[in-house]
Amino acid sequence: MIRILGIETSCDETAAAVVLDGRVVLSSIVASQIDLHAQYGGIFPEVASRAHIETIYPVIREAMEVAHLGWDDLDGVAVTCGPGLAGSLLVGVNVAKGLALGRGLPLVGINHLEAHLYATWLTEDADRVAFPLLGLIVSGGHTELVMMRGHGDYERLGATIDDAAGEAFDKVGRLLGLPYPGGPAIQESARRGNPDSFRFPRAWMDGGLNFSFSGLKTAVLRQVQELRPPLPIEDLAASFQAAVVEVLASKTARAAAETDASTVVLAGGVSANQALRQAVKAASDRPVLIPPIEYCTDNAAMIAACGYWRYQAGERAGWDLDIDPGQRLG
Ligand code: KG4
Ligand code: ZN
């Protein structure tokens, strides 16, 4: 039995978790900085790194306590190296190095995007995962369609050429006057709105598998400028969400149909969106696996799960393990 401690500090969540054999979550602690960043309406990188420094030790200690483990019970430490905010990544990587060096534990560096896919292995769906797997990774910084042919084997099929899906939710949330982060706030507001009120553009990108969301964001802005107050926030939110969801779900379904994908996995913070979850399931002719919400948004259990496979593959990072803020997958 292999117990991996996962550490995640790539963005605005300080997280630590212990996972057994890449599947069983013994503990998963997430300290969100949302309240801290809400006053700025977005993430302030300098503030994020300092908050990680203050929070990382208590979070790791809690993860060990909840798992009822001592340091000697661990088999390895896995930490996010990229992509993400440089100052934030540095905090996690250096703490992980200190722990691994101090306790003589193996260390593995993890790609945050890859780890989002591994959230699936933390659920009962782990038994249904079949390669090749088509992953739609939608987060605050990324929107990617990735073909995973096996552990560690990735091919990027498409990505956004401008804003990420989550970024579009956050920016449109801000211009509608909704609280940060925009994603959950828009979802909530959209529940009471009519998605057909406004016909916002869908960027089909010549039928390819790339995405673009900046035109949609500008279209919402123009519409808001044209309307007289009070704004129909709920209808705007519902119509915007419908535009994002339609493009994501339809391109994912098409990518699955055009490839030999056996399963479709939805991952990343935006996959917490109920409308997106339903639409991807409805559009795809393959089994669609979506982790529970707590493992869709940033957490360290997915880092530990991914770390388990890396550890089993014999991967070991040295003391020169570096951060890679612009790291890609596939
Ligand atoms: O994966 P994640 O937690 O952090 C990054 O790696 O970026 O994703 C955060 C993003 C934010 O943009 C947030 O607005 C979005 O996920 N998000 C949502 C929902 N919950 C979080 N977007 C749409 N609907 C949601 N329910
Ligand atoms: Zn993420």
Side-chain angles (χ1 to χ4, degrees), residues 8 10-11 112-113 116 139-140 268-269 296-299 302:
E8 155 65 38
S10 69
C11 195
H112 180 90
L113 297 177
H116 267 303
S139 70
C296 286
T297 49
D298 285 351
N299 65 88
M302 66 184 196

